[in-house]
Amino acid sequence: MKNSLNREIPDELLKDGIEVFQGAYARENYEYKKDAPTVKANVASGDSKLVDSIKAAIEQAGLKDGMTISFHHHLRNGDYVCAKVMDVIHEMGIKDLFVCASSLGKAHANMVPMIEDGTVTGISTSGVRDEIGEALSMGKLKHPAWIRTHGGRVRAIETGQVHIDVAFIAASSSDVLGNASGKNGRHDCGVLSYADVDAKYADKVVVITDTINPVPNFPAPIQAVDVDYVVKIDQIGDPAKIASGALRLTKDVRELKMAENCAKVVANTPWFKEGFSFQTGAGGASLAVTQFLKPYMDERDIRMGWGMGGITEPMVQMFREGYIDKLINDQAFDIPSVESVYNDSNHFEISCSQYANPMNKGAFVNYLDYVILGALEVDTDFNVNVVQGSDGMIQGAPGGHPDTAAGAKCTIIVAPLIRSRLSTVRRQVTSVTTPGETVDVVVTDYGVAVNPARKDILEALEQTDLPLISIEELADIAESITGTPAPLEFEDKVVALIEYRDGTIIDVIKKPILK
């Protein structure tokens, strides 16, 4: 069956209530009853919840073949906990597990042989990179992987589409009762936003930390009332590696020029006024936009009401310089943002449901004025791909991309027209992550294209000296430089489903034929 973007979704995948994508806002006013965990009451015991080892916690939690387990990725490439837990599970011989992770990357490469031997047979994640991305692309996972947005993962858990049997939560600190935090420890990750839903909806919750503080370890985003066991290990991870991966600051002249034009787009659209709200992605040009906004804010004598993310050092700098009233944090992308959420008042931790769940009563993304995002590919319908490389391999993350694009009043994509001799703007993306109806402006080094559906933005930008150009003209220029890209070849085997934030299937990824 084809969905509303004309992407073919195999009928055999449309089961258990799964439907094809029908439009970004098709499920407005959708009603559902929330899932609930099975809770083992602690009526009389005042005992510590500390257990001796990860293995002991797994045994007491009753983990067995066929269950669903979960992890979060706040330590990003510095995460040690997921790998340690999976090694123990592998040694115990437990098989056929479904791993529901908020993201997977290089730190989780030890999972690849477990995919190959059947320890792990299903995966849900908001990001896949490096060795695991290669394994999924090659169809090594028994069942197609679920690629979900950050908000979509919370929705899937809260609606019961995914029910977690045992959640393993890496925490920078905890007390013996399980009041846990991303702060106050030897290895801080800042916030535990993605683990909030795991703690509230999993049947068993295991907190793993390297720092036990006296009771109560407050403030505690993970509360003891949701925690069954606490395990102390030598080291949960290396915060120095939080900032690795997608995050980077740029000195590239081309990217800086795109960032300058992007800031000009923001400054010349109607929502740029006192108290505006803003989020930016982690790409080089996206991050640089923040610095180019300052002169415009000075000129208008305005301040940002709140900035959200994915908080990064440039946002922290603007906050400390007085350009931003409040920071709202669902993920600390680097050490300065970890330190800021620890030290700065008016820098607040929120849950991922508060951040982006499309099925609650109003996530923060729905109140964004601006979001600045990157892209691997953009097509002439403004559809965006941030998951699948132009070689067909899975190497990216939807993260909050579709969530924020759908919620913001003005969604701006910043990307170079050509990247490594491959065109970013093309007739059709390899796969759709974010639908074009939620993308308003594309800023490239060859011009700025406005979605024709946003006549209000186009009329505003026509009053500026920005190099406006149609998206079709951008594709023409790209093809004149790179030539028309030969279509990729794929086998029929579906290796991953790309789920839109509302639970419908926006696209699928098939196994590429490598040459």
Side-chain angles (χ1 to χ4, degrees):
M1 176 184 292
K2 289 188 176 179
N3 64 20
S4 64
L5 299 180
N6 206 34
R7 311 296 288 202
E8 185 71 40
I9 311 299
D11 289 343
E12 61 267 26
L13 300 175
L14 302 175
K15 55 186 179 182
D16 300 327
I18 301 301
E19 299 179 343
V20 297
F21 176 75
Q22 298 156 41
Y25 309 103
R27 287 194 168 179
E28 176 71 4
N29 296 322
Y30 181 86
E31 294 185 347
Y32 69 101
K33 189 173 287 292
K34 286 188 175 182
D35 194 31
T38 298
V39 178
K40 185 177 181 180
N42 184 355
V43 178
S45 168
D47 294 340
S48 164
K49 296 177 183 176
L50 271 175
V51 295
D52 293 336
S53 65
I54 290 173
K55 182 178 181 180
I58 292 171
E59 290 173 340
Q60 293 187 38
L63 183 67
K64 58 186 179 183
D65 293 357
M67 283 188 164
T68 295
I69 59 176
S70 74
F71 301 94
H72 70 77
H73 75 292
H74 284 292
L75 283 157
R76 300 172 69 82
N77 281 346
D79 176 30
Y80 295 170
V81 169
C82 178
K84 287 177 182 288
V85 171
M86 291 307 303
D87 279 341
V88 175
I89 287 173
H90 193 243
E91 290 170 4
M92 295 172 69
I94 300 172
K95 296 281 190 178
D96 193 24
L97 294 176
F98 185 90
V99 175
C100 180
S102 56
S103 194
L104 295 169
K106 187 168 285 296
H108 315 112
N110 74 324
M111 205 180 292
V112 171
M114 301 180 204
I115 291 172
E116 294 170 340
D117 72 9
T119 302
V120 176
T121 56
I123 284 176
S124 165
T125 179
S126 301
V128 191
R129 294 187 172 89
D130 303 307
E131 290 88 345
I132 293 185
E134 294 173 10
L136 298 189
S137 301
M138 291 297 98
K140 294 182 177 180
L141 190 68
K142 182 177 180 180
H143 305 294
W146 290 83
I147 310 295
R148 293 193 159 99
T149 72
H150 286 326
R153 178 179 185 269
V154 179
R155 174 205 52 74
I157 295 169
E158 290 193 356
T159 61
Q161 183 182 358
V162 173
H163 186 85
I164 300 169
D165 294 295
V166 185
F168 297 94
I169 298 176
S172 301
S173 67
S174 178
D175 57 31
V176 296
L177 307 183
N179 294 300
S181 171
K183 299 175 283 190
N184 303 319
R186 291 166 49 214
H187 302 97
D188 287 350
C189 59
V191 298
L192 293 178
S193 306
Y194 298 127
D196 173 81
V197 68
D198 305 48
K200 290 177 178 172
Y201 286 83
D203 289 342
K204 298 292 183 184
V205 176
V206 180
V207 165
I208 300 175
T209 186
D210 54 20
T211 303
I212 298 292
N213 289 329
V215 179
N217 182 46
F218 282 172
I222 304 300
Q223 299 177 12
V225 293
D226 294 319
V227 175
D228 296 277
Y229 309 105
V230 178
V231 182
K232 185 177 183 299
I233 63 175
D234 291 338
Q235 187 172 348
I236 62 166
D238 180 1
K241 295 181 179 178
I242 289 177
S244 60
L247 180 70
R248 61 188 176 86
L249 299 172
T250 186
K251 294 182 180 178
D252 182 275
V253 174
R254 183 178 61 159
E255 290 190 329
L256 291 172
K257 183 60 179 175
M258 289 191 293
E260 185 178 4
N261 281 340
C262 184
K264 188 175 289 186
V265 170
V266 172
N268 286 281
T269 41
W271 308 279
F272 188 66
K273 55 189 177 183
E274 178 69 22
F276 73 100
S277 53
F278 178 88
Q279 179 174 337
T280 186
S286 299
L287 281 178
V289 172
T290 55
Q291 300 307 306
F292 286 105
L293 278 179
K294 291 181 183 177
Y296 292 108
M297 296 173 72
D298 289 336
E299 181 183 345
R300 305 273 185 92
D301 191 24
I302 63 174
R303 290 157 55 91
M304 188 186 303
W306 48 276
M308 188 169 68
I311 298 298
T312 57
E313 184 174 12
M315 289 290 283
V316 171
Q317 289 175 342
M318 287 187 71
F319 170 72
R320 289 177 173 169
E321 291 167 359
Y323 287 92
I324 304 173
D325 285 340
K326 294 180 175 66
L327 289 178
I328 299 174
N329 193 332
D330 77 297
Q331 181 174 194
F333 268 140
D334 52 26
I335 296 299
S337 58
V338 170
E339 294 173 346
S340 175
V341 74
Y342 186 87
N343 294 314
D344 291 324
S345 59
N346 289 331
H347 185 164
F348 302 103
E349 176 176 357
I350 59 172
S351 72
C352 191
S353 188
Q354 288 176 286
Y355 168 55
N357 179 4
M359 294 298 187
N360 64 25
K361 298 181 181 179
F364 272 105
V365 294
N366 293 353
Y367 305 97
L368 276 170
D369 289 318
Y370 298 96
V371 64
I372 316 298
L373 300 166
L376 293 174
E377 298 174 341
V378 185
D379 69 20
T380 49
D381 290 323
F382 287 83
N383 298 310
V384 175
N385 164 31
V386 293
V387 170
Q388 195 173 15
S390 295
D391 58 357
M393 301 293 283
I394 300 171
Q395 56 176 258
H401 198 288
D403 300 312
T404 52
K409 295 181 178 67
C410 183
T411 298
I412 305 171
I413 302 295
V414 184
L417 187 65
I418 308 296
R419 189 185 276 129
S420 302
R421 298 295 300 169
L422 295 172
S423 56
T424 302
V425 178
R426 49 183 55 207
R427 308 296 170 187
Q428 188 175 64
V429 291
T430 306
S431 59
V432 179
T433 314
T434 299
E437 67 179 294
T438 65
V439 174
D440 302 313
V441 182
V442 175
V443 177
T444 76
D445 43 343
Y446 282 77
V448 176
V450 179
N451 190 326
R454 295 305 303 266
K455 291 183 172 55
D456 55 338
I457 294 176
L458 181 59
E459 289 174 0
L461 299 186
E462 284 176 339
Q463 309 304 313
T464 73
D465 61 353
L466 281 164
L468 299 179
I469 189 171
S470 74
I471 195 79
E472 290 82 7
E473 290 173 307
L474 283 175
D476 290 341
I477 294 171
E479 287 183 359
S480 72
I481 297 171
T482 66
T484 303
L488 295 174
E489 296 184 18
F490 296 92
E491 299 181 9
D492 291 335
K493 182 183 177 65
V494 173
V495 298
L497 295 84
I498 303 178
E499 188 188 70
Y500 192 59
R501 60 197 303 252
D502 65 1
T504 59
I505 305 303
I506 195 167
D507 215 336
V508 297
I509 295 176
K510 295 184 177 181
K511 181 181 178 180
I513 298 175
L514 301 182
K515 298 180 179 178

